[in-house]
Amino acid sequence: DADVTQTPRNRITKTGKRIMLECSQTKGHDRMYWYRQDPGLGLQLIYYSFDVKDINKGEISDGYSVSRQAQAKFSLSLESAIPNQTALYFCATSERGGDTQYFGPGTRLTVL
Amino acid sequence: AQSVTQPDIHITVSEGASLELRCNYSYGATPYLFWYVQSPGQGLQLLLKYFSGDTLVQGIKGFEAEFKRSQSSFNLRKPSVHWSDAAEYFCAVGTFYTGNQFYFGTGTSLTVIP
């Protein structure tokens, strides 16, 4: 089984809808991250969490919110989706003080 | 501010030929450097990483990278490319002094022709 899983893998929604993307990990890592990937822009950090009570904004947090329900779960929400949030979203984890991030398979989100 | 530049958006090489993907970084301290590969429809897989010590690091799938502090570079190389190496490659800088954040380059897309 994969260490970092993301659900759903694909989602098509309409402008104005609320969307939640979920990430779960079995690696036992404290730190979790959400990125979005756009063609030609690489990965941009949306939010990151160092533990359940420590959540921080990344480079592009506007329009997004997150919830760290447990050490193993980190959800990303779009309260009112807009078309320019169409992108590939990745969740990642790392150990406390760790030197490497481990990525989930990604969620492709399309906002019409 | 930290930044990573991958100057080549797309590279095409013949199978069996050598490969070099360029990466330049901007960071005020000794960086932690990474190369990731993303195959179509997949997440990112770590190829190799550099923290300290020997500036030539070996990774998986026959890849290696060399850290050159004087040039602020961390170029990825492979002596003989296989068709299965066709993918997107990302260079990244880890900034653990500012809270375990990672900064990614924009990626280089590799096409391998027979």
Side-chain angles (χ1 to χ4, degrees), chain A:
Chain A
D1 289 338
D3 295 318
V4 184
T5 58
Q6 294 182 234
T7 56
R9 293 294 310 278
N10 288 281
R11 182 72 183 267
I12 300 174
T13 191
K14 295 181 179 179
T15 298
K17 293 292 187 180
R18 184 178 187 275
I19 294 296
M20 179 180 287
L21 308 183
E22 299 186 338
C23 176
S24 294
Q25 54 116 346
T26 59
K27 300 185 76 66
H29 290 170
D30 289 320
R31 299 183 173 187
M32 298 185 74
Y33 308 78
W34 275 106
Y35 292 90
R36 67 175 280 174
Q37 183 182 28
D38 298 276
L41 293 181
L43 277 76
Q44 297 173 279
L45 183 63
I46 306 173
Y47 270 94
Y48 60 102
S49 170
F50 287 167
D51 63 39
V52 175
K53 297 181 180 180
D54 184 359
I55 293 177
N56 306 276
K57 293 182 178 180
E59 306 167 73
I60 55 164
S61 58
D62 288 349
Y64 301 94
S65 63
V66 291
S67 173
R68 186 79 184 269
Q69 302 95 321
Q71 187 203 39
K73 295 183 182 297
F74 192 36
S75 300
L76 176 72
S77 293
L78 289 67
E79 296 301 325
S80 179
I82 57 177
N84 76 1
Q85 291 177 312
T86 293
L88 188 55
Y89 290 84
F90 286 104
C91 174
T93 73
S94 70
E95 293 179 281
R96 183 186 301 274
D99 53 33
T100 302
Q101 288 191 330
Y102 298 87
F103 286 82
T107 294
R108 184 169 297 281
L109 176 66
T110 302
V111 183
L112 302 176

